[in-house]
């Protein structure tokens, strides 16, 4: 179908075309132009068909000057005003012997411009394995090349543009192909994805938590004797200049390690606190305690004397060190033994970092990524020790928290992220970094993310960071980023043959990153729900239940006698009776959960309507 003509600016990479102003042609549409070219290994020019994409569109009045007051002019000629529609077309290439080649000759001025056929567009992108959506301009599926993950991926978007949506869809596609995926989740948004992983069939999933008050299947623990004493002090929050407190922790750590090597049990933060407390009661008390643990005093006499002397001269430092270690023990992450790597690895492992401070999140991220990377190195090189046989894709949410520019601040996890970015492809550890602020991610890390999924970005600094980190992002695509709809993205790099503008498909897994509906959360009927809840459970509903319930929908609900039976969107079977004060949830095993709250809201609404 002919839609226009080449009119100006014709080069081997782009041209301007005038289009039929009465025909609606959308941005990112694919067009074709017949041209002549001298393909590789051919001596004479032959006829080829160039395929391109519209990257910019403008409508202008024909020959109407811009430097005069327009209102009166336009009012007088509005019915006879001629309009032109101009499109800038980026040439994507032509096919020759089954391969895409870029032309070396520009198309002729006046050459007709046609809508490209669906088969031509489909051939441009080939057949990948990770089917994440369709082209924005055509109802054609777009499937990314799984081999492109070897060069890492950056997912970049402003808040609310769909970056977590894309990440979940990508995780689904990876799991379908047998991948092992680890998600570093600072806010617990992916816990819902783990809870709904059964929808994919045959996928093993678990949540690793670092706070006892948050959702998780396994508590991640780090053995303090496996840590460097300075790292232990950092994790405890000891200021860098508090040298005596740090030295106290160092001495307690050294004595605990000596006790373990002598055959005593491994100590956690509380064990180190016990050593410091013994030192405060005098060196003889400390020696008796160590002897009970099987430590020969002569072998560690120097450390005992140093700690005892410090306890005499500066008891405050010992007290403070013990206080820091007690606080560390209360977190639950730092303990006597490190959680075995095999216990936390599944097809999908969501590391729920919610509930602890930035310093602890940073250390846990570094610790876990380092263990995964080393396990893969051992497998590839045949070294002794814990190994991981399957390659691992690591999704780092809020990447700017873990790998900020070195000039801004230093994080421990930066070491692990940057090493995987630089060396991971050799050992089968691949990164997917997700961020809303690319300008706050270290540029060395971003430069290693050779594939990029870029969604709506408005901030000029972030646009500049994206441009600097991408060799393929043309200025025209960059200019269009603020105009992308939610769920639309520019995809480029090794994961796709040519840059593509796509629209994401619907996801199967749930996630908790969506905004809360304030209208839903603040509905007046919630007052009634709270009253009924209080009557049933003898206490008001927790705010967390109401907020979590706003993200859940009820698929079906029916009344059987005095008992309501309902199924929620995430597969929970809920039974409740307002009259009998009875409620049960199949997923949570609890009567006072968000699923019960959501079903109770539905029941209250039905009863009010009746």
């Amino acid at each position: 179908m002919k839609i226009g003509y080449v009119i100006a600016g014709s080069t081997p990479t782009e041209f301007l075309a005038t289009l039929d102003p009465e025909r609606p042609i959308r941005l990112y549409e694919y067009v074709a132009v017949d041209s002549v070219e001298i393909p590789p290994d051919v001596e004479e020019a032959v006829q080829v068909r160039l395929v391109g994409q519209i990257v910019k569109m403008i409508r202008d009045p024909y020959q109407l000057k811009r430097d005069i007051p327009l209102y009166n002019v336009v009012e007088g000629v509005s019915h006879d005003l001629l309009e032109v529609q101009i499109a800038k077309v980026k040439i994507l290439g032509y096919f020759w012997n089954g391969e895409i080649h870029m032309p070396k000759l520009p198309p002729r001025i006046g050459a007709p411009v046609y809508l490209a056929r669906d088969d031509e567009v489909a051939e441009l992108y080939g057949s990948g394995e990770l089917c994440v959506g369709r082209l924005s301009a055509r109802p054609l599926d777009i499937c990314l090349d799984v081999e492109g993950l070897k060069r890492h991926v950056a997912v970049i978007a402003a808040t609310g543009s769909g970056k977590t949506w894309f990440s979940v869809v990508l995780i689904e596609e990876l799991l379908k192909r047998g991948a092992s995926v680890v998600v570093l989740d600072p806010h617990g948004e992916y816990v819902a994805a783990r809870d709904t992983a059964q929808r994919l069939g045959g996928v093993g999933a678990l949540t690793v938590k670092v706070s006892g008050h948050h959702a998780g299947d396994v508590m991640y623990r780090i053995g303090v004797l496996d840590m460097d004493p300075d790292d232990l002090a950092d994790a405890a929050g000891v200021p860098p200049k508090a040298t005596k407190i740090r030295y106290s922790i160092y001495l307690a750590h050294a004595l605990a390690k000596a006790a373990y090597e002598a055959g005593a049990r491994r100590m956690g933060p509380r064990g180190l606190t016990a050593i410091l407390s013994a030192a405060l009661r005098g060196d003889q008390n400390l020696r008796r305690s160590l002897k009970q643990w099987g430590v020969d005093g002569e072998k560690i006499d120097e450390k005992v004397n140093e700690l005892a002397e410090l306890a005499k001269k500066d008891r405050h430092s010992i007290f403070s060190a013990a206080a820091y270690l007690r606080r560390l023990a209360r977190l639950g992450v730092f303990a006597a033994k490190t959680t075995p790597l095999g216990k936390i690895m599944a097809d999908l492992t969501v590391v729920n970092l919610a509930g602890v401070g930035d310093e602890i999140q940073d250390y846990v991220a570094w610790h876990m990524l380092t263990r995964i990377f080393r396990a893969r190195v051992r497998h590839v090189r045949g070294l002794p020790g814990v190994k991981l046989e399957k390659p691992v894709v690591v999704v780092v949410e809020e990447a700017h928290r873990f790998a900020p520019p070195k000039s801004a601040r230093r994080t421990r996890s930066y070491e692990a992220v940057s090493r995987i970015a630089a060396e991971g492809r050799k050992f089968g550890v691949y990164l997917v970094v997700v961020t809303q602020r690319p300008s706050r991610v270290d540029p060395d890390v971003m430069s290693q993310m050779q594939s990029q999924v870029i969604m709506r970005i408005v901030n000029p600094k972030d646009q500049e960071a994206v441009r600097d980190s991408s060799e393929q992002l043309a200025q025209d695509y960059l200019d269009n980023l603020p105009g992308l709809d939610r769920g639309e993205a520019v995809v480029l790099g090794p994961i796709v043959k040519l840059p593509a503008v796509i629209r994401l498909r619907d996801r199967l897994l749930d996630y908790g990153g969506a905004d809360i509906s304030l209208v839903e959360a603040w509905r007046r009927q919630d007052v009634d729900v709270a009253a009924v809840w209080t009557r049933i459970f003898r206490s008001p509903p927790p705010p967390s239940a109401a907020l979590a319930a706003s993200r859940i929908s009820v698929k079906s609900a029916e009344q059987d006698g005095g008992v309501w039976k309902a199924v929620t969107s995430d597969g929970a079977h809920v039974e409740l009776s307002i009259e009998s004060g009875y409620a049960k949830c199949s997923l949570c095993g609890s009567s006072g959960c968000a699923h019960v709250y959501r079903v109770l809201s539905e029941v209250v609404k039905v009863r009010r309507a009746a």
Side-chain angles (χ1 to χ4, degrees), residues 46 85 101 119 126 132 173 175 188 221 226 269 278 387 450 603:
V46 298
Q85 184 175 204
H101 298 276
D119 62 304
V132 296
E173 292 297 315
L175 293 175
R221 302 187 189 278
D226 299 327
K387 302 180 180 68
Q450 295 188 22
V603 171

Side-chain angles (χ1 to χ4, degrees), residues 384-401:
V386 177
K387 302 180 180 68
L388 289 176
E389 296 185 0
K390 290 173 63 175
V392 180
V393 178
V394 178
V395 179
V396 183
E397 260 285 359
E398 303 282 350
H400 50 277
R401 298 165 65 100

Side-chain angles (χ1 to χ4, degrees), residues 43-63:
E43 296 181 357
E44 297 182 356
V46 298
Q47 191 81 11
V48 297
R49 189 171 169 91
L50 304 180
V51 180
Q53 185 177 32
I54 296 175
V55 295
K56 188 174 184 178
M57 297 187 70
I58 186 171
R59 287 178 182 263
D60 259 345
Y62 181 64
Q63 288 188 343

Side-chain angles (χ1 to χ4, degrees), residues 170-184:
L170 179 62
I171 289 170
E172 290 177 12
E173 292 297 315
L174 290 170
L175 293 175
K176 290 176 185 177
R177 276 137 193 89
S180 180
V181 181
V182 175
V183 182
L184 291 185

Side-chain angles (χ1 to χ4, degrees), residues 280-456:
L280 288 170
R281 293 192 295 271
D283 60 341
Q284 294 303 318
N285 189 289
L286 175 59
R287 291 179 190 279
R288 281 196 300 270
S289 298
L290 291 171
K291 192 172 182 179
Q292 291 175 0
W293 296 328
V295 183
D296 185 350
E298 294 181 1
K299 293 183 179 179
I300 44 87
D301 199 55
E302 182 182 351
K303 296 288 189 299
V304 171
N305 291 337
E306 289 181 36
L307 185 56
E309 189 67 20
L310 183 62
K312 290 177 183 178
K313 293 182 177 180
D314 192 351
R315 296 176 66 83
H316 175 74
S317 294
I318 304 293
F319 273 120
S320 298
Y324 278 114
L325 290 173
R326 288 191 190 97
R327 187 178 69 176
L328 202 65
R330 287 194 293 270
L331 290 174
V333 178
F334 299 92
K337 295 182 181 180
T338 299
T339 306
L341 191 59
K343 192 175 179 180
I344 61 173
M345 294 300 294
D347 296 328
L348 172 61
T349 300
V350 176
V351 185
N352 183 5
L353 297 172
V356 296
D358 291 348
E359 297 84 0
I360 305 303
Q361 288 192 359
D362 178 37
Y363 194 89
V364 171
W366 168 80
H367 192 264
M368 185 171 290
L369 292 183
T370 299
R371 296 178 72 193
I372 290 171
F373 180 76
R374 289 175 178 171
R376 282 296 303 166
V377 171
R378 294 188 197 104
H379 173 75
V380 172
R381 292 182 172 170
L383 300 175
V386 177
K387 302 180 180 68
L388 289 176
E389 296 185 0
K390 290 173 63 175
V392 180
V393 178
V394 178
V395 179
V396 183
E397 260 285 359
E398 303 282 350
H400 50 277
R401 298 165 65 100
F402 302 104
K406 295 186 289 293
S407 59
R409 60 186 177 93
R410 299 301 297 268
T411 62
R412 191 63 187 268
S413 50
Y414 171 81
E415 301 174 16
V417 173
S418 61
R419 171 167 287 188
I420 293 174
E423 305 176 28
R425 61 181 179 272
K426 296 186 292 187
F427 302 106
V429 185
Y430 311 117
L431 275 177
V432 178
V433 300
V434 185
T435 182
Q436 63 202 36
R437 297 305 311 271
S439 61
R440 295 184 182 176
V441 179
D442 185 77
D444 291 339
V445 171
M446 287 297 294
S447 67
Q448 298 288 342
M449 306 296 112
Q450 295 188 22
S451 292
Q452 297 186 331
V453 179
I454 307 166
M455 311 182 90
R456 186 172 182 267

Side-chain angles (χ1 to χ4, degrees), residues 565-610:
K565 297 181 179 180
V567 180
T568 64
S569 56
D570 52 356
H573 292 261
V574 176
E575 295 182 6
L576 67 85
S577 171
I578 294 178
E579 287 74 13
S580 303
Y582 158 79
K584 182 175 69 174
C585 172
S586 64
L587 278 185
C588 304
S590 166
S591 60
C593 66
H595 300 99
V596 170
Y597 190 99
R598 182 66 186 89
V599 172
L600 183 59
S601 301
E602 195 70 20
V603 171
V604 168
K605 184 169 65 175
V606 170
R607 288 164 67 98
R608 184 188 295 119

Side-chain angles (χ1 to χ4, degrees), residues 2 38 41 162 194 225 227 291 324 337 342 427 451:
K2 185 171 68 176
I38 304 177
D41 302 324
R194 171 258 178 268
L225 297 188
M227 300 173 64
K291 192 172 182 179
Y324 278 114
K337 295 182 181 180
F427 302 106
S451 292

Side-chain angles (χ1 to χ4, degrees), residues 465-500:
V466 169
R467 181 179 57 205
D468 292 343
S469 63
S470 175
E471 298 177 355
Q472 297 187 46
L473 185 63
Q475 184 65 40
D476 296 301
Y477 287 118
L478 190 66
D479 293 340
N480 291 332
L481 290 181
L484 292 175
D485 290 333
R486 184 174 186 272
E488 283 189 327
V490 177
V491 183
L492 43 87
I495 57 172
V496 65
K497 280 188 173 182
L498 293 169

